[in-house]
Amino acid sequence: MAFTYFCQAVSPDAPQPLSEQDTALSRELAAVRDQRHRLYLKLNGSLKALFSHCEWRITRHDNGMTELEVICPSMVVYKRLLQKVIMIQGRLEDTVRIKHTKFTLCYPPNPQAYYEHEVTFQQWSNTNSYDENEEF
């Protein structure tokens, strides 16, 4: 019985096994994609319509902060979203596990059309704290 061995040169373009870094990046991308989807589901119909005109992304930073950045295509959309920033920030905070968020809203052609709000865990816990002696 004869065996034939084929020897092929490995091409640098050939798929390589996933490294630990690749796997970690894949998990991170899946988590951000899931957060984006959950946030979108929490928006009401008018916000979904406004967001559909915008470029928007969620970024998770190494320090635990989750950032929502919304780039508006026009001043009209910017002004409409600016009227709803408290609602948007609330939806973002409901979406993330770690309560350190940053929400940025802008219309780049106008440098004055820029809104930014960051909430840290301490601010969040202070606004949501209760007094044990308080009566309901």
Side-chain angles (χ1 to χ4, degrees):
M1 195 185 295
F3 291 100
T4 307
Y5 292 97
F6 293 98
C7 185
Q8 294 180 342
V10 177
S11 167
D13 295 333
Q16 303 296 316
L18 293 178
S19 69
E20 287 181 28
Q21 244 181 340
D22 294 331
T23 304
L25 181 59
S26 176
R27 278 194 303 268
E28 185 67 23
L29 288 172
V32 169
R33 191 173 43 241
D34 182 54
Q35 276 185 335
R36 180 182 162 97
H37 180 71
R38 285 194 329 260
L39 174 65
Y40 186 76
L41 292 176
K42 289 182 183 291
L43 300 176
N44 64 23
S46 64
L47 283 175
K48 284 179 182 177
L50 289 169
F51 268 56
S52 72
H53 295 288
C54 301
E55 177 185 329
W56 62 284
R57 62 183 154 265
I58 292 179
T59 306
R60 290 176 33 170
H61 297 276
D62 290 340
N63 65 0
M65 179 178 68
T66 300
E67 180 179 8
L68 170 63
E69 183 179 12
V70 180
I71 302 169
C72 301
S74 69
M75 195 63 168
V76 171
V77 172
Y78 172 82
K79 286 180 179 179
R80 287 185 182 165
L81 286 173
L82 189 61
Q83 294 172 349
K84 310 246 185 218
V85 293
I86 294 171
M87 183 185 302
I88 296 167
Q89 183 72 37
R91 299 300 192 277
L92 176 61
E93 290 171 13
D94 288 346
T95 303
V96 298
R97 289 187 181 96
I98 298 175
K99 302 302 182 201
H100 183 184
T101 59
K102 182 177 179 182
F103 171 47
T104 305
L105 177 66
C106 66
Y107 174 56
N110 183 343
Q112 294 176 334
Y114 184 84
Y115 169 86
E116 182 178 281
H117 183 74
E118 185 171 344
V119 175
T120 63
F121 177 75
Q122 289 174 331
Q123 292 169 329
W124 183 81
S125 63
N126 287 341
T127 59
N128 291 306
S129 62
Y130 64 92
D131 183 358
E132 290 180 9
N133 299 322
E134 188 175 73
E135 292 184 26
F136 292 97

